[in-house]
Amino acid sequence: MDAIRPVSRTLLRDRAYEAIRDAIVTGEIEPGAVVRDADLAERLGLSRAPVREAFSRLVDEGLLESKPQSYTRVTPVVAADVRDAAAVVGAMHELVTRVAVPRLGAGDLDEMRAANGRFAAAVRSGDVDGALRADDELHHVLVRAAGNRAAAATVARYTPLIRRLERRRFGEGGTCRSAGLHDRLIEACAAGDTEAALRVTADIWRGLEELADPD
């Protein structure tokens, strides 16, 4: 029975955080919606304590706002906040790309190509969630190879703010970014051309900043 062990408090907190974050990003919990720890704890099959801890983290990350003794609710999608987040995340991706490119092996490149294949297939089928998930998986290869924990934490913290707007724009009839940019990135990585990879990375994240520009 060694496999049956108590679940750590940290794991429960992380489980609550990831579930609530994903529900906000996908729009299952809409902007402006009031959230209650008791309700979400019951839906998640958890106690209220890890849900409260998740709320605190999501407030810090800008996905929830809270007024003590009054309410906790999902923040609106604010274009200026998304532009700021995209600028920061883009800078972190450029940083990790510079470090990662010389470290990439054949397996890493195969993983990036496979992720881009999933991305392209999801775009063709209109699967926005699948496209965004594959996009994260592709770029995560570079983040992982760089091994910069501070950069990885910054990317993880601010990317959900960007994904909320991406989903909304795509749902309004917009289109996902072309897999061609990913192809160019992978080609540069395979050639060991760090400067070319940096230029493509900058193009990718500049496009996300522009996504947040007012119509």
Side-chain angles (χ1 to χ4, degrees), residues 18-175:
E18 290 169 3
I20 299 167
R21 177 202 63 196
D22 291 350
I24 293 171
V25 170
T26 62
E28 180 181 345
I29 305 177
E30 298 180 348
V34 173
V35 292
R36 297 178 176 83
D37 55 8
D39 294 342
L40 288 174
E42 182 177 1
R43 289 175 60 183
L44 292 169
L46 300 172
S47 68
R48 294 169 70 174
V51 173
R52 287 173 182 156
E53 292 180 49
F55 278 9
S56 178
R57 183 173 172 184
L58 290 162
V59 167
D60 187 51
E61 294 180 359
L63 291 175
L64 291 178
E65 56 188 3
S66 181
K67 182 177 180 180
Q69 310 302 319
S70 182
Y71 62 77
T72 299
R73 66 189 179 197
V74 178
T75 56
V77 179
V78 179
D81 292 342
V82 177
R83 284 196 300 275
D84 290 347
V88 170
V89 172
M92 291 300 100
H93 276 291
E94 290 184 48
L95 185 156
V96 301
T97 296
R98 184 176 296 280
V99 175
V101 170
R103 300 181 178 181
L104 295 172
D108 297 315
L109 294 167
D110 287 344
E111 192 174 343
M112 293 176 73
R113 293 185 183 102
N116 198 30
R118 294 191 295 274
F119 176 85
V123 171
R124 286 194 299 270
S125 66
D127 179 5
V128 174
D129 289 330
L132 297 180
R133 184 166 54 250
D135 184 72
D136 284 339
E137 291 165 353
L138 186 154
H139 290 286
H140 178 69
V141 175
L142 293 165
V143 174
R144 183 185 65 208
N148 186 319
R149 295 175 64 183
T154 302
V155 168
R157 173 173 179 168
Y158 290 108
T159 296
L161 288 171
I162 303 166
R163 294 310 193 207
R164 278 209 298 171
L165 182 62
E166 284 187 282
R167 288 192 86 267
R168 171 176 289 190
R169 289 296 170 90
F170 299 152
E172 293 170 349
T175 58

